Amino acid sequence: KVHGDAFAGRFCPDSIGIITRGRGIALQNNLVEWKKARVALLRGMTMKRQGERTVPVIMEEVHSTGMGWLEMCGGVGKSSSIMMRGHIGRESLNVYMRQMCNIRFSDRLTPTFQDVRACLEEIFKRISAGNPGDYMPILKMLAGKPKVLTEMEHWADRMYTHIRHWIQEHRTTLVASEPRDFLD
């Protein structure tokens, strides 16, 4: 705490900078920004009060998933094939999105849901593949900007388009004394 500034120089690879745009908690080089982001996250997502509000959301999504699968199978005693991965992904994303910005993707795998899921999948695919240029600057000088970074920028820009839209929607319906979610 006393020498925090002396230890604030965390290395932030280009790929993480593209995703966080310098505002994230992970690998944040600016201690002041890191503290603001961390406090906001703790207050908005992890405090006991928030946890108590999250349990009903999770239970509702679990119930919704079960009922949706039952309907897709045609009711009790009938069988059908279900695209499990897409629906499980939607339910997981619903829990997160409801906490963050009070958005719930319906029981249909809508184009917006498909695009958000594609953005997240493509970003994480590129992060997990790694970018040697993040850690070996000589590669950037020899080969220029790696294709993986250009692709990551594309997917991050698409994701930020959704985020900007959600922020704008929230601004028009914000009641500061009654926050609905982390974004409020």
Side-chain angles (χ1 to χ4, degrees):
K1 243 179 169 178
V2 176
H3 299 288
D5 290 337
F7 293 96
R10 296 181 179 111
F11 169 71
C12 184
D14 292 340
S15 53
I16 298 299
I18 289 169
I19 297 164
T20 65
R21 305 226 167 139
R23 297 289 189 183
I25 292 177
L27 305 175
Q28 176 60 262
N29 198 24
N30 180 326
L31 190 60
V32 173
E33 289 296 322
W34 176 83
K35 282 181 183 177
K36 279 196 262 183
R38 184 173 181 272
V39 167
L41 184 65
L42 288 173
R43 283 187 183 152
M45 297 293 285
T46 61
M47 288 176 28
K48 183 179 181 191
R49 175 179 51 116
Q50 300 303 334
E52 290 169 356
R53 287 192 337 195
T54 301
V55 170
V57 170
I58 294 170
M59 294 306 296
E60 186 178 330
E61 292 304 326
V62 168
H63 183 264
S64 168
T65 302
M67 292 303 295
W69 291 346
L70 185 61
E71 287 175 19
M72 282 186 259
C73 289
V76 178
K78 299 194 178 182
S79 66
S80 180
S81 64
I82 301 172
M83 301 271 302
M84 298 289 283
R85 183 175 182 185
H87 291 283
I88 290 172
R90 186 197 70 230
E91 302 307 336
S92 299
L93 192 55
N94 275 343
V95 171
Y96 174 74
M97 293 297 291
R98 287 176 68 183
Q99 290 176 47
M100 292 299 292
C101 51
N102 203 29
I103 290 173
R104 181 176 193 276
F105 294 108
S106 69
D107 59 347
R108 305 282 182 257
L109 300 180
T110 65
T112 301
F113 164 75
Q114 297 286 15
D115 194 52
V116 168
R117 186 179 74 182
C119 290
L120 294 172
E121 284 179 4
E122 294 298 327
I123 288 167
F124 283 105
K125 188 186 304 179
R126 282 156 183 82
I127 289 172
S128 64
N131 174 26
D134 280 343
Y135 303 99
M136 293 181 263
I138 188 91
L139 294 178
K140 285 191 268 188
M141 292 188 316
L142 295 174
K145 185 177 187 177
K147 180 181 174 187
V148 70
L149 292 184
T150 303
E151 292 169 347
M152 202 173 292
E153 285 174 343
H154 166 77
W155 291 105
D157 288 345
R158 279 178 68 168
M159 189 67 215
Y160 275 99
T161 298
H162 292 291
I163 292 169
R164 282 189 297 275
H165 174 75
W166 297 328
I167 289 171
Q168 187 56 42
E169 282 182 344
H170 264 62
R171 282 185 176 147
T172 61
T173 60
L174 177 66
V175 178
S177 61
E178 299 174 23
R180 301 163 287 192
D181 49 40
F182 180 75
L183 189 54
D184 281 353

